């Protein structure tokens, strides 16, 4: 898919991996809608890249549909959806105070999994109604999983479950959408220097980096963004989850 001139939506696009992806896609010529819960931050990012800001809870069907329609009104049908919105709340299944609150588990699943699915179903429907591009593509979806999908640590039960489901969703979604020329892939990032990590003490950041085989550093969000671009531009890449982690494998805790 040629990115120049196409409409794209990046969820969680105001910070971290989403912001890096929005910048990369805009630099490639895409017309980017920055979707985020934080409208002010989304507007600041949209202004930086020459895009448009839309605010929505990705797991809210009505709000998400309205945001996609708003993006479409500005840029035409979104041919690329990049799902970066997510949370990483931690907690043991059975802790010192008893079993995990079911609402805490549900919250992570709602944002990470249901939000991803909700945005994908709505965006893919609109893609399927559009005319094919010159290469035959109607669109592409890039979802964000995590290496926790494979090696979830103690305390990551909700997060690992949500990301594991995104990995499992990739193949059946790609198979279903194949008839309409829509590709579905995912990226499973390792430990990246996102705002959450950068807020940690430097000693802890250094310890995390030291555990990564090579390169022994935290991931740069720009590397994630370039992977998003590679997936979008490479038509033969479909139904795949790419680990982007410096060869690290998470330990139990």
């Amino acid at each position: 898919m040629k990115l120049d001139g196409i409409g794209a939506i990046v969820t969680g696009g105001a910070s971290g991996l989403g912001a890096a992806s929005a910048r990369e896609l805009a630099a490639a010529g895409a017309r980017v809608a920055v979707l985020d819960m934080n409208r002010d931050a989304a507007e600041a990012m949209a202004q930086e890249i020459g895009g448009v800001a839309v605010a929505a809870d990705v797991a809210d069907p009505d709000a998400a549909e309205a945001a996609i329609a708003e993006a479409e009104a500005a840029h035409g049908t979104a041919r690329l959806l990049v799902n970066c919105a997510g949370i990483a709340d931690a907690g043991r299944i059975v802790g010192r105070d008893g079993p995990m609150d079911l609402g805490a588990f549900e919250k992570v699943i709602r944002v990470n999994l249901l939000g991803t699915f909700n945005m994908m179903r709505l965006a893919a429907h609109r893609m399927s109604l559009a005319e094919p591009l010159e290469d035959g593509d109607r669109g592409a979806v890039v979802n964000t999983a995590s290496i926790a999908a494979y090696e979830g640590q103690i305390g990551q039960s909700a997060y690992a479950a949500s990301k594991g489901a995104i990995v499992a969703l990739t193949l059946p979604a790609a198979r279903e959408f194949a008839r309409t020329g829509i590709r579905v892939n995912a990226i499973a990032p390792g430990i990246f220097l996102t705002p959450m990590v950068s807020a940690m003490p430097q000693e802890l950041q250094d310890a995390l980096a030291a555990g990564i085989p090579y390169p022994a550093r935290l991931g740069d969000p720009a590397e994630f963004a370039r992977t998003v671009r590679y997936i979008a531009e490479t038509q033969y890449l479909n139904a795949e989850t790419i680990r982007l982690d410096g060869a690290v494998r998470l330990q139990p805790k």
Side-chain angles (χ1 to χ4, degrees):
M1 177 190 296
K2 294 179 180 178
L3 297 178
D4 189 28
I6 71 161
I9 297 173
V10 180
T11 76
S15 65
L17 302 179
S21 298
R23 290 189 184 100
E24 180 72 21
L25 295 174
R31 306 175 71 194
V32 180
V34 179
L35 190 155
D36 203 277
M37 286 279 285
N38 186 331
R39 178 174 283 278
D40 290 343
E43 288 178 347
M45 177 55 58
Q47 184 174 7
E48 175 189 329
I49 64 173
V52 64
V54 289
D57 173 355
V58 291
D60 182 320
D62 294 335
E65 189 157 23
I68 292 172
E70 186 178 350
E72 185 172 298
H75 295 158
T77 301
R79 301 294 191 148
L80 176 62
L81 170 67
V82 182
N83 277 311
C84 292
I87 58 175
D89 295 0
R92 290 176 180 252
I93 300 170
V94 180
R96 293 177 180 176
D97 298 325
M100 176 188 287
D101 176 63
L102 189 59
F105 185 91
E106 183 179 32
K107 177 184 176 183
V108 176
I109 298 298
R110 181 181 184 276
V111 176
N112 293 358
L113 176 57
L114 295 184
T116 294
F117 180 82
N118 186 41
M119 290 298 300
M120 181 171 68
R121 74 182 182 94
L122 295 172
H125 171 67
R126 289 176 180 265
M127 291 176 195
S128 71
L129 300 176
E131 290 297 316
L133 299 171
E134 62 182 60
D135 59 3
D137 275 354
R138 278 193 169 88
V141 178
V142 182
N143 293 326
T144 303
S146 167
I147 58 172
Y150 306 99
E151 303 114 33
Q153 295 180 298
I154 293 171
Q156 285 188 323
S157 58
Y159 183 72
S162 69
K163 296 302 186 176
I166 289 172
V167 172
L169 179 62
T170 305
L171 178 59
R175 284 173 162 171
E176 178 181 338
F177 297 159
R179 64 184 178 84
T180 50
I182 300 169
R183 295 180 292 115
V184 181
N185 291 282
I187 304 171
I191 308 170
F192 274 70
L193 191 59
T194 60
M196 180 179 66
V197 175
S198 62
M200 296 177 179
Q202 189 61 49
E203 296 79 6
L204 180 53
Q205 293 184 43
D206 293 342
L208 290 171
I212 299 171
Y214 186 80
R217 59 170 174 79
L218 302 179
D220 182 346
E223 294 172 306
F224 178 93
R226 288 195 294 271
T227 307
V228 169
R229 179 173 176 175
Y230 169 73
I231 291 171
E233 292 181 331
T234 306
Q235 188 181 41
Y236 207 58
L237 184 54
N238 197 10
E240 186 59 77
T241 299
I242 299 174
R243 286 188 67 130
L244 192 64
D245 58 20
V248 72
R249 297 297 182 267
L250 298 177
Q251 299 304 304
K253 59 181 178 180

